[in-house]
Amino acid sequence: MIHNLQDEKEKLHRKQEASSRGFSDEELMKMIGEVENGEMLQAPVHLKNEVLTHIRTEKQRSRKRQVFTYRAQVLIAMAAAIFLLVLMPAGNAQIATFRPGWMIEQETEESRQEPLEAKAQKRQEKIDANWADYQEKQEKAQSRKEWLENITSGIEAFQIFFKNNFEIWRLIS
């Protein structure tokens, strides 16, 4: 035991001298022989378990981040959908009215008795009214389209903001 301590001290002393002035060829060959014949240093037993545990925890953190981002995206999509449903203007819902057959027959009899000029005038008024309704619907559709484009650009801007801040949060943690 004491002999081993003395050998260890000599080895340590030689290593210190060698590190300060460099190895000679004889010392280098002697050290190579000692390494080949002697035992190599062993890593601590618990090191493997610590490394594997660290890897597992990093994988779990990564999965938690992925789940968090997925949940955040779903929540944002849900909030945007609810927002759109609440703010979407309702269309012109026209209620279909039921007219019995005898009313239709009466209308046709009246229309037969009217002069041709009155019929043409009514027809032109219907065409004008339909054209005005069509233009109004087109304007509403255009305004809805612009409104949705504004919302879409706002959502895209929020998504970019969220991604950038999430990247910063991820780098910080």
Side-chain angles (χ1 to χ4, degrees):
M1 184 84 155
I2 295 174
H3 178 61
N4 288 342
L5 287 174
Q6 188 64 28
D7 287 341
E8 292 297 321
K9 284 182 182 178
E10 288 177 10
K11 284 181 187 178
L12 182 63
H13 182 65
R14 276 187 265 141
K15 286 181 184 178
Q16 288 175 350
E17 287 179 2
S19 65
S20 63
R21 62 175 167 80
F23 288 113
S24 67
D25 289 339
E26 293 173 8
E27 290 173 341
L28 186 60
M29 294 306 287
K30 186 176 179 183
M31 188 170 75
I32 291 172
E34 287 176 4
V35 168
E36 288 177 353
N37 295 332
E39 288 185 22
M40 298 287 291
L41 291 177
Q42 297 292 325
V45 178
H46 63 278
L47 182 64
K48 180 179 177 182
N49 290 334
E50 286 182 12
V51 169
L52 291 176
T53 305
H54 181 71
I55 290 171
R56 283 187 205 111
T57 56
E58 286 299 317
K59 282 184 180 179
Q60 287 175 347
R61 286 182 187 162
S62 174
R63 287 183 190 142
K64 285 182 181 179
R65 284 186 199 126
Q66 288 175 349
V67 169
F68 175 76
T69 55
Y70 178 74
R71 284 182 180 173
Q73 289 173 350
V74 168
L75 287 173
I76 291 169
M78 288 173 51
I82 290 171
F83 180 73
L84 288 175
L85 287 173
V86 168
L87 294 181
M88 181 68 77
N92 290 342
Q94 296 178 351
I95 301 172
T97 57
F98 176 73
R99 293 187 303 175
W102 61 269
M103 287 182 78
I104 296 172
E105 288 176 10
Q106 186 178 15
E107 287 175 1
T108 55
E109 287 177 18
E110 290 172 359
S111 62
R112 287 182 199 152
Q113 295 173 358
E114 292 177 347
L116 290 177
E117 291 177 8
K119 286 182 184 180
Q121 187 178 3
K122 282 187 178 181
R123 192 176 304 136
Q124 186 62 38
E125 288 173 1
K126 283 184 182 180
I127 290 171
D128 291 342
N130 287 341
W131 179 251
D133 287 341
Y134 173 76
Q135 285 180 331
E136 185 180 334
K137 287 178 184 178
Q138 289 298 321
E139 289 173 2
K140 285 183 180 180
Q142 183 63 28
S143 65
R144 281 189 199 127
K145 183 178 177 183
E146 291 172 359
W147 184 74
L148 286 174
E149 287 173 353
N150 288 340
I151 289 176
T152 303
S153 64
I155 290 171
E156 289 172 354
F158 182 76
Q159 184 180 14
I160 292 169
F161 171 79
F162 181 77
K163 282 183 180 180
N164 291 340
N165 286 335
F166 181 74
E167 289 295 325
I168 292 170
W169 176 77
R170 191 179 62 153
L171 292 174
I172 292 173
S173 61

